[in-house]
Amino acid sequence: MIQKHTIALGLAFILATSAFGMDNFHFYRPPFFGITFGEPRLVEPYLTSVDIAFGGGSTKKSRGGCCQPCTALLNLHGPFNFQLLGSNVPGKDPRSQEDIALVELARTVGRDCFFGYVQYCGKFKLFETQILFTQNFRNGLFTQIGLPIRHMALCNVGFEDLTPRNCPCPCRDTRTWQSFLALYDKILAHYNLNVDGFKKTNIGDLSWIIGWGSNYQDMRVLDYVDLDFKLGMVFPTGKKQNVNSAFDIPSGYGGHLGFGASFDFAVGVYNWLTFGGYGGAIAFTDKTRDIRMKTDIRQNGFIKLAKGCATVEKGTIWYAGAFGKLDHIAEGFSLLAGYSFCAQQKDMLHPENTHYFNPTAANCDLTLQGWDMHTLHLLADYDCARALHRFSPRVGIFANINMGGEHVFKLHMAGGTFGFDISYEY
Protein backbone atom coordinates (compact mmCIF):
# COMPACT_ATOMS: atom_id res chain seq x y z
CA MET A 1 0.00 0.00 0.00
CA ILE A 2 2.80 2.41 0.88
CA GLN A 3 4.57 1.62 -2.41
CA LYS A 4 1.36 2.18 -4.37
CA HIS A 5 0.83 5.65 -2.95
CA THR A 6 4.49 6.52 -3.24
CA ILE A 7 4.23 5.87 -6.99
CA ALA A 8 1.02 7.90 -7.17
CA LEU A 9 2.57 10.86 -5.42
CA GLY A 10 5.66 10.61 -7.58
CA LEU A 11 3.55 10.81 -10.71
CA ALA A 12 1.77 13.85 -9.32
CA PHE A 13 5.03 15.73 -9.22
CA ILE A 14 6.33 15.01 -12.68
CA LEU A 15 4.70 18.35 -13.50
CA ALA A 16 6.77 21.50 -13.38
CA THR A 17 3.41 23.24 -13.33
CA SER A 18 -0.05 21.86 -13.90
CA ALA A 19 -2.12 22.58 -16.98
CA PHE A 20 -3.27 26.16 -16.56
CA GLY A 21 -5.90 28.20 -18.39
CA MET A 22 -6.25 28.89 -22.07
CA ASP A 23 -5.24 32.59 -22.01
CA ASN A 24 -1.71 31.57 -22.99
CA PHE A 25 -1.12 32.38 -26.68
CA HIS A 26 -0.20 35.92 -27.69
CA PHE A 27 2.04 37.56 -30.27
CA TYR A 28 3.97 39.53 -27.64
CA ARG A 29 5.47 36.60 -25.69
CA PRO A 30 6.11 32.85 -25.91
CA PRO A 31 3.57 30.55 -24.24
CA PHE A 32 4.17 28.98 -20.84
CA PHE A 33 4.77 25.23 -20.85
CA GLY A 34 2.14 23.59 -18.66
CA ILE A 35 -0.41 26.34 -19.35
CA THR A 36 -3.05 24.90 -21.68
CA PHE A 37 -0.60 22.20 -22.80
CA GLY A 38 1.98 20.01 -21.08
CA GLU A 39 2.03 16.77 -19.13
CA PRO A 40 -1.26 14.96 -18.46
CA ARG A 41 -3.06 15.43 -15.20
CA LEU A 42 -2.71 12.76 -12.50
CA VAL A 43 -6.27 11.49 -11.96
CA GLU A 44 -6.05 10.44 -8.32
CA PRO A 45 -9.60 10.91 -6.96
CA TYR A 46 -10.21 14.23 -5.20
CA LEU A 47 -6.62 15.43 -5.57
CA THR A 48 -6.51 19.20 -5.11
CA SER A 49 -3.77 21.30 -6.72
CA VAL A 50 -2.81 24.97 -6.56
CA ASP A 51 -0.13 26.27 -8.93
CA ILE A 52 1.50 29.62 -9.53
CA ALA A 53 3.88 30.42 -12.38
CA PHE A 54 5.56 33.80 -12.78
CA GLY A 55 8.08 35.19 -15.23
CA GLY A 56 9.06 38.12 -17.37
CA GLY A 57 11.23 39.52 -20.09
CA SER A 58 11.86 42.56 -22.28
CA THR A 59 12.75 43.23 -25.91
CA LYS A 60 13.35 45.92 -28.51
CA LYS A 61 12.99 43.56 -31.49
CA SER A 62 10.25 41.78 -33.42
CA ARG A 63 10.07 39.02 -35.99
CA GLY A 64 8.41 40.35 -39.12
CA GLY A 65 7.43 38.44 -42.23
CA CYS A 66 9.58 36.00 -44.17
CA CYS A 67 11.74 38.87 -45.46
CA GLN A 68 12.17 40.44 -42.00
CA PRO A 69 13.46 37.82 -39.55
CA CYS A 70 14.42 40.58 -37.10
CA THR A 71 13.24 44.19 -37.10
CA ALA A 72 12.34 47.09 -34.81
CA LEU A 73 9.75 46.27 -32.15
CA LEU A 74 6.71 48.01 -33.66
CA ASN A 75 7.75 47.31 -37.23
CA LEU A 76 6.59 43.67 -37.07
CA HIS A 77 4.10 44.27 -39.90
CA GLY A 78 6.47 46.33 -42.01
CA PRO A 79 7.07 50.08 -42.41
CA PHE A 80 4.23 52.55 -41.79
CA ASN A 81 3.00 54.29 -44.96
CA PHE A 82 2.35 57.87 -43.82
CA GLN A 83 2.01 59.30 -47.32
CA LEU A 84 -1.46 57.77 -47.56
CA LEU A 85 -2.36 58.07 -43.89
CA GLY A 86 -5.25 60.42 -44.69
CA SER A 87 -6.38 58.76 -47.92
CA ASN A 88 -10.18 58.24 -47.96
CA VAL A 89 -10.48 59.14 -44.28
CA PRO A 90 -14.08 60.34 -43.83
CA GLY A 91 -14.98 63.72 -42.37
CA LYS A 92 -11.88 65.71 -43.38
CA ASP A 93 -12.32 69.48 -43.02
CA PRO A 94 -11.01 71.47 -46.05
CA ARG A 95 -10.38 74.43 -43.71
CA SER A 96 -8.24 72.47 -41.26
CA GLN A 97 -4.49 72.81 -41.72
CA GLU A 98 -4.06 69.25 -40.43
CA ASP A 99 -6.41 67.81 -43.04
CA ILE A 100 -4.93 70.02 -45.78
CA ALA A 101 -1.50 68.58 -44.95
CA LEU A 102 -2.90 65.04 -45.25
CA VAL A 103 -4.57 65.75 -48.60
CA GLU A 104 -1.50 67.44 -50.12
CA LEU A 105 0.79 64.63 -48.97
CA ALA A 106 -1.49 61.97 -50.47
CA ARG A 107 -1.52 63.89 -53.79
CA THR A 108 2.26 64.06 -53.98
CA VAL A 109 3.43 61.91 -56.87
CA GLY A 110 5.68 59.36 -55.24
CA ARG A 111 8.20 56.88 -56.48
CA ASP A 112 8.96 53.33 -55.43
CA CYS A 113 11.56 54.53 -52.93
CA PHE A 114 9.85 54.56 -49.49
CA PHE A 115 8.68 58.15 -49.77
CA GLY A 116 6.57 58.90 -46.67
CA TYR A 117 7.48 55.65 -44.89
CA VAL A 118 8.62 55.43 -41.27
CA GLN A 119 9.72 52.69 -38.90
CA TYR A 120 8.46 52.76 -35.32
CA CYS A 121 10.69 51.56 -32.48
CA GLY A 122 10.19 50.95 -28.77
CA LYS A 123 10.91 48.67 -25.83
CA PHE A 124 8.38 46.21 -24.45
CA LYS A 125 8.49 44.83 -20.89
CA LEU A 126 6.33 42.08 -19.43
CA PHE A 127 5.92 40.40 -16.06
CA GLU A 128 3.20 37.79 -15.82
CA THR A 129 1.75 35.61 -13.08
CA GLN A 130 -0.51 32.64 -13.80
CA ILE A 131 -2.69 31.24 -11.02
CA LEU A 132 -4.53 27.90 -11.22
CA PHE A 133 -6.80 25.84 -9.04
CA THR A 134 -7.42 22.21 -10.08
CA GLN A 135 -9.81 19.76 -8.45
CA ASN A 136 -10.09 16.08 -9.31
CA PHE A 137 -13.26 14.01 -9.01
CA ARG A 138 -13.76 10.31 -9.58
CA ASN A 139 -13.56 8.34 -12.84
CA GLY A 140 -10.77 10.54 -14.22
CA LEU A 141 -12.77 13.76 -14.24
CA PHE A 142 -11.28 17.07 -13.11
CA THR A 143 -11.92 20.79 -13.41
CA GLN A 144 -9.56 23.76 -13.55
CA ILE A 145 -9.90 27.51 -13.12
CA GLY A 146 -7.03 29.71 -14.27
CA LEU A 147 -6.40 33.45 -14.24
CA PRO A 148 -3.36 35.41 -15.47
CA ILE A 149 -2.20 38.77 -14.11
CA ARG A 150 -0.06 40.83 -16.49
CA HIS A 151 2.09 43.90 -16.02
CA MET A 152 2.96 45.34 -19.44
CA ALA A 153 4.92 48.44 -20.38
CA LEU A 154 5.84 50.00 -23.70
CA CYS A 155 8.45 52.76 -23.53
CA ASN A 156 10.97 54.66 -25.69
CA VAL A 157 8.45 54.90 -28.53
CA GLY A 158 9.61 56.85 -31.56
CA PHE A 159 9.96 56.60 -35.32
CA GLU A 160 12.76 56.68 -37.86
CA ASP A 161 12.13 58.41 -41.18
CA LEU A 162 12.78 55.96 -44.04
CA THR A 163 12.23 58.54 -46.79
CA PRO A 164 15.41 58.74 -48.92
CA ARG A 165 17.51 61.88 -48.67
CA ASN A 166 19.30 61.94 -52.02
CA CYS A 167 16.99 60.79 -54.77
CA PRO A 168 14.86 62.40 -57.48
CA CYS A 169 11.87 64.29 -56.05
CA PRO A 170 9.99 63.51 -53.92
CA CYS A 171 12.51 62.95 -51.10
CA ARG A 172 12.91 63.77 -47.43
CA ASP A 173 13.11 67.52 -48.14
CA THR A 174 9.88 67.63 -50.15
CA ARG A 175 7.64 70.44 -48.86
CA THR A 176 4.51 68.31 -48.40
CA TRP A 177 6.43 65.75 -46.34
CA GLN A 178 8.05 68.37 -44.13
CA SER A 179 4.69 70.12 -43.64
CA PHE A 180 3.15 66.81 -42.55
CA LEU A 181 5.95 66.12 -40.08
CA ALA A 182 5.61 69.59 -38.58
CA LEU A 183 1.88 69.02 -38.02
CA TYR A 184 2.09 65.32 -37.13
CA ASP A 185 1.32 65.75 -33.42
CA LYS A 186 -1.61 68.04 -34.19
CA ILE A 187 -2.95 65.58 -36.77
CA LEU A 188 -2.94 62.80 -34.18
CA ALA A 189 -4.66 65.04 -31.64
CA HIS A 190 -7.22 66.07 -34.28
CA TYR A 191 -8.16 62.41 -34.75
CA ASN A 192 -7.96 61.62 -31.02
CA LEU A 193 -5.12 59.15 -31.47
CA ASN A 194 -2.26 58.56 -29.05
CA VAL A 195 1.02 57.01 -30.21
CA ASP A 196 2.82 57.09 -26.86
CA GLY A 197 3.75 54.08 -24.77
CA PHE A 198 1.83 52.68 -21.80
CA LYS A 199 2.32 51.04 -18.43
CA LYS A 200 -0.46 48.96 -16.88
CA THR A 201 -1.30 45.97 -14.71
CA ASN A 202 -4.49 44.02 -15.40
CA ILE A 203 -5.96 40.56 -15.09
CA GLY A 204 -6.24 38.49 -18.24
CA ASP A 205 -9.11 36.28 -19.38
CA LEU A 206 -10.51 33.76 -16.90
CA SER A 207 -10.47 30.12 -18.03
CA TRP A 208 -12.70 27.29 -16.90
CA ILE A 209 -11.78 23.78 -18.05
CA ILE A 210 -13.38 20.36 -17.62
CA GLY A 211 -11.16 17.41 -18.35
CA TRP A 212 -10.94 13.64 -18.33
CA GLY A 213 -7.71 11.72 -17.88
CA SER A 214 -6.33 8.21 -17.59
CA ASN A 215 -3.13 6.93 -15.97
CA TYR A 216 -2.43 3.39 -17.20
CA GLN A 217 0.43 1.48 -15.51
CA ASP A 218 -0.33 -2.24 -15.97
CA MET A 219 2.32 -2.89 -18.65
CA ARG A 220 5.55 -4.85 -18.88
CA VAL A 221 7.56 -2.73 -21.34
CA LEU A 222 6.42 0.79 -20.46
CA ASP A 223 6.20 2.30 -17.00
CA TYR A 224 2.96 4.10 -17.76
CA VAL A 225 0.87 5.77 -20.44
CA ASP A 226 -0.98 8.93 -19.34
CA LEU A 227 -3.40 11.02 -21.36
CA ASP A 228 -6.08 13.61 -20.86
CA PHE A 229 -8.64 15.52 -22.91
CA LYS A 230 -9.90 18.97 -21.98
CA LEU A 231 -12.76 21.22 -23.00
CA GLY A 232 -12.96 24.77 -21.75
CA MET A 233 -14.13 28.33 -22.05
CA VAL A 234 -12.23 31.61 -21.95
CA PHE A 235 -14.27 34.43 -20.44
CA PRO A 236 -13.45 38.03 -21.53
CA THR A 237 -12.47 39.38 -18.11
CA GLY A 238 -9.31 41.09 -19.36
CA LYS A 239 -9.08 44.78 -20.20
CA LYS A 240 -9.85 45.51 -23.84
CA GLN A 241 -7.65 47.45 -26.22
CA ASN A 242 -7.91 51.24 -26.07
CA VAL A 243 -9.11 52.18 -29.55
CA ASN A 244 -7.56 55.65 -29.19
CA SER A 245 -4.08 54.28 -28.41
CA ALA A 246 -2.35 52.99 -31.52
CA PHE A 247 0.03 50.61 -29.73
CA ASP A 248 -2.14 49.48 -26.83
CA ILE A 249 -2.30 45.73 -26.15
CA PRO A 250 -5.34 44.07 -24.54
CA SER A 251 -4.65 42.05 -21.40
CA GLY A 252 -6.66 39.11 -22.73
CA TYR A 253 -8.21 38.19 -26.08
CA GLY A 254 -9.82 41.58 -26.69
CA GLY A 255 -13.30 40.91 -25.34
CA HIS A 256 -13.94 37.72 -27.30
CA LEU A 257 -15.48 34.66 -25.66
CA GLY A 258 -13.41 31.57 -26.46
CA PHE A 259 -14.02 27.82 -26.62
CA GLY A 260 -11.10 25.42 -26.49
CA ALA A 261 -10.30 21.72 -26.83
CA SER A 262 -6.97 20.01 -26.24
CA PHE A 263 -5.20 16.74 -25.45
CA ASP A 264 -1.97 15.74 -23.69
CA PHE A 265 -0.22 12.38 -23.53
CA ALA A 266 2.93 11.01 -21.95
CA VAL A 267 4.83 7.71 -21.97
CA GLY A 268 7.26 6.68 -19.23
CA VAL A 269 10.20 4.27 -19.64
CA TYR A 270 13.14 3.11 -17.52
CA ASN A 271 11.57 4.65 -14.39
CA TRP A 272 13.23 8.00 -15.15
CA LEU A 273 12.47 8.99 -18.76
CA THR A 274 9.24 10.54 -20.08
CA PHE A 275 8.19 11.50 -23.60
CA GLY A 276 4.97 13.23 -24.55
CA GLY A 277 3.05 15.52 -26.84
CA TYR A 278 0.09 17.86 -26.94
CA GLY A 279 -2.17 19.80 -29.26
CA GLY A 280 -5.33 21.84 -29.32
CA ALA A 281 -7.25 24.84 -30.59
CA ILE A 282 -9.22 27.83 -29.31
CA ALA A 283 -12.06 29.34 -31.35
CA PHE A 284 -13.73 32.67 -30.58
CA THR A 285 -17.14 34.25 -30.92
CA ASP A 286 -17.56 37.45 -32.94
CA LYS A 287 -17.46 40.82 -31.23
CA THR A 288 -18.91 44.14 -32.44
CA ARG A 289 -16.98 47.20 -31.29
CA ASP A 290 -15.38 50.47 -32.35
CA ILE A 291 -12.09 49.85 -34.11
CA ARG A 292 -9.52 51.73 -36.18
CA MET A 293 -9.65 50.60 -39.81
CA LYS A 294 -7.73 51.13 -43.02
CA THR A 295 -9.36 53.39 -45.59
CA ASP A 296 -6.87 52.75 -48.39
CA ILE A 297 -5.49 49.39 -49.43
CA ARG A 298 -1.96 50.90 -49.54
CA GLN A 299 -1.92 52.04 -45.91
CA ASN A 300 0.16 50.00 -43.49
CA GLY A 301 0.95 49.89 -39.78
CA PHE A 302 -0.77 50.26 -36.43
CA ILE A 303 -1.54 53.96 -36.90
CA LYS A 304 -4.94 54.51 -38.53
CA LEU A 305 -6.89 57.76 -38.32
CA ALA A 306 -10.40 56.50 -39.17
CA LYS A 307 -12.53 54.87 -36.50
CA GLY A 308 -15.83 53.06 -36.91
CA CYS A 309 -17.98 50.21 -35.69
CA ALA A 310 -17.29 46.75 -37.06
CA THR A 311 -17.91 43.10 -36.24
CA VAL A 312 -14.60 41.37 -35.58
CA GLU A 313 -14.14 37.68 -36.39
CA LYS A 314 -11.12 36.69 -34.31
CA GLY A 315 -8.91 34.04 -35.88
CA THR A 316 -8.68 30.57 -34.37
CA ILE A 317 -5.56 29.70 -32.38
CA TRP A 318 -3.85 26.34 -33.01
CA TYR A 319 -0.98 24.78 -31.10
CA ALA A 320 1.01 21.53 -30.92
CA GLY A 321 4.30 20.28 -29.56
CA ALA A 322 6.33 17.60 -27.81
CA PHE A 323 8.61 17.21 -24.80
CA GLY A 324 11.12 14.92 -23.12
CA LYS A 325 11.82 14.73 -19.41
CA LEU A 326 14.46 13.27 -17.10
CA ASP A 327 12.12 12.42 -14.25
CA HIS A 328 13.44 12.38 -10.66
CA ILE A 329 17.03 11.78 -11.70
CA ALA A 330 18.29 12.93 -8.29
CA GLU A 331 15.68 12.35 -5.60
CA GLY A 332 12.95 14.91 -6.41
CA PHE A 333 14.92 16.80 -9.08
CA SER A 334 13.71 16.68 -12.71
CA LEU A 335 14.69 18.33 -16.01
CA LEU A 336 12.43 18.92 -19.02
CA ALA A 337 12.88 20.22 -22.57
CA GLY A 338 9.95 20.85 -24.87
CA TYR A 339 8.94 22.47 -28.13
CA SER A 340 5.70 24.17 -29.08
CA PHE A 341 4.31 25.74 -32.22
CA CYS A 342 1.34 28.08 -31.97
CA ALA A 343 -0.39 30.24 -34.55
CA GLN A 344 -3.38 32.52 -34.82
CA GLN A 345 -5.31 32.71 -38.07
CA LYS A 346 -6.39 35.91 -39.76
CA ASP A 347 -8.94 38.25 -38.16
CA MET A 348 -11.79 39.50 -40.36
CA LEU A 349 -13.64 42.82 -40.13
CA HIS A 350 -17.22 43.54 -41.19
CA PRO A 351 -17.69 47.34 -41.05
CA GLU A 352 -21.19 48.56 -40.33
CA ASN A 353 -20.79 51.64 -42.54
CA THR A 354 -19.52 50.29 -45.85
CA HIS A 355 -19.86 53.73 -47.46
CA TYR A 356 -17.00 55.10 -45.36
CA PHE A 357 -15.14 51.82 -44.83
CA ASN A 358 -14.54 49.58 -47.82
CA PRO A 359 -14.45 45.98 -46.50
CA THR A 360 -11.69 45.05 -48.96
CA ALA A 361 -9.45 47.89 -47.80
CA ALA A 362 -10.28 47.28 -44.13
CA ASN A 363 -9.33 43.60 -44.36
CA CYS A 364 -6.23 44.13 -46.47
CA ASP A 365 -4.34 44.93 -43.28
CA LEU A 366 -1.19 43.12 -42.18
CA THR A 367 -2.05 43.75 -38.52
CA LEU A 368 -5.02 41.39 -39.05
CA GLN A 369 -3.11 38.67 -40.90
CA GLY A 370 -2.32 36.51 -37.87
CA TRP A 371 0.99 35.29 -36.49
CA ASP A 372 2.94 32.15 -35.59
CA MET A 373 5.67 31.30 -33.10
CA HIS A 374 8.18 28.52 -32.37
CA THR A 375 9.22 28.15 -28.72
CA LEU A 376 11.81 26.10 -26.84
CA HIS A 377 10.79 25.31 -23.25
CA LEU A 378 13.39 24.46 -20.59
CA LEU A 379 12.29 23.56 -17.05
CA ALA A 380 13.86 22.28 -13.84
CA ASP A 381 11.82 21.41 -10.77
CA TYR A 382 12.09 19.79 -7.39
CA ASP A 383 9.17 18.14 -5.64
CA CYS A 384 8.91 17.44 -1.96
CA ALA A 385 6.48 14.52 -2.22
CA ARG A 386 6.68 12.12 0.71
CA ALA A 387 4.82 8.85 1.17
CA LEU A 388 1.70 9.17 3.34
CA HIS A 389 1.96 12.97 3.43
CA ARG A 390 -1.20 14.73 2.32
CA PHE A 391 0.45 18.09 1.64
CA SER A 392 3.25 18.06 -0.94
CA PRO A 393 4.83 21.28 -2.30
CA ARG A 394 7.03 21.73 -5.38
CA VAL A 395 9.18 24.50 -6.84
CA GLY A 396 10.78 25.07 -10.22
CA ILE A 397 12.42 27.44 -12.68
CA PHE A 398 11.88 27.78 -16.42
CA ALA A 399 12.95 29.55 -19.61
CA ASN A 400 10.74 30.04 -22.68
CA ILE A 401 12.89 30.90 -25.71
CA ASN A 402 11.38 32.39 -28.87
CA MET A 403 13.15 30.47 -31.66
CA GLY A 404 11.26 31.86 -34.65
CA GLY A 405 7.97 33.03 -36.09
CA GLU A 406 6.26 35.78 -38.05
CA HIS A 407 4.65 39.01 -36.81
CA VAL A 408 5.59 38.44 -33.15
CA PHE A 409 7.72 40.21 -30.56
CA LYS A 410 11.14 38.60 -30.18
CA LEU A 411 10.80 38.17 -26.43
CA HIS A 412 12.28 35.45 -24.22
CA MET A 413 10.93 34.73 -20.74
CA ALA A 414 12.39 33.30 -17.55
CA GLY A 415 10.76 32.72 -14.20
CA GLY A 416 9.74 30.31 -11.49
CA THR A 417 6.92 28.07 -10.36
CA PHE A 418 5.45 27.10 -7.03
CA GLY A 419 2.62 24.73 -6.25
CA PHE A 420 1.27 22.09 -3.95
CA ASP A 421 -1.04 19.09 -4.01
CA ILE A 422 -3.37 17.92 -1.27
CA SER A 423 -4.14 14.19 -1.43
CA TYR A 424 -7.17 12.67 0.28
CA GLU A 425 -6.67 9.00 -0.57
CA TYR A 426 -4.38 6.42 1.09
Side-chain angles (χ1 to χ4, degrees), residues 40-41 43 142 212-216 225-229 264-266:
R41 171 74 176 170
V43 295
F142 60 91
W212 175 87
S214 176
N215 308 136
Y216 187 71
V225 175
D226 293 347
L227 59 88
D228 64 34
F229 300 91
D264 310 285
F265 74 90

Side-chain angles (χ1 to χ4, degrees), residues 5-73:
H5 292 294
T6 300
I7 294 173
L9 287 173
L11 287 174
F13 294 105
I14 65 173
L15 293 102
T17 56
S18 292
F20 282 73
M22 292 183 290
D23 184 1
N24 190 30
F25 304 99
H26 300 280
F27 75 93
Y28 52 80
R29 61 116 170 102
F32 285 69
F33 183 91
I35 302 176
T36 309
F37 62 87
E39 299 178 74
R41 171 74 176 170
L42 179 71
V43 295
E44 176 186 322
Y46 303 113
L47 181 70
T48 300
S49 301
V50 175
D51 289 277
I52 299 174
F54 54 89
S58 64
T59 184
K60 295 181 180 179
K61 298 294 183 180
S62 286
R63 298 186 186 276
C66 58
C67 298
Q68 290 182 308
C70 188
T71 185
L73 181 75

Side-chain angles (χ1 to χ4, degrees), residues 45-123:
Y46 303 113
L47 181 70
T48 300
S49 301
V50 175
D51 289 277
I52 299 174
F54 54 89
S58 64
T59 184
K60 295 181 180 179
K61 298 294 183 180
S62 286
R63 298 186 186 276
C66 58
C67 298
Q68 290 182 308
C70 188
T71 185
L73 181 75
L74 300 172
N75 201 51
L76 67 164
H77 300 293
F80 293 53
N81 184 354
F82 277 0
Q83 182 191 3
L84 298 171
L85 187 63
S87 178
N88 298 325
V89 172
K92 287 198 291 289
D93 185 352
R95 298 166 297 179
S96 164
Q97 61 176 346
E98 294 86 2
D99 286 337
I100 292 173
L102 289 171
V103 171
E104 290 185 346
L105 181 62
R107 290 176 177 174
T108 302
V109 179
R111 298 174 183 269
D112 189 17
C113 61
F114 281 96
F115 172 69
Y117 280 79
V118 304
Q119 173 179 272
Y120 257 91
C121 309
K123 183 177 182 179

Side-chain angles (χ1 to χ4, degrees), residues 253-285:
Y253 288 127
H256 294 265
L257 179 66
F259 299 88
S262 66
F263 72 91
D264 310 285
F265 74 90
V267 176
V269 294
Y270 305 126
N271 294 317
W272 57 271
L273 187 59
T274 301
F275 297 101
Y278 33 80
I282 306 173
F284 300 92
T285 60

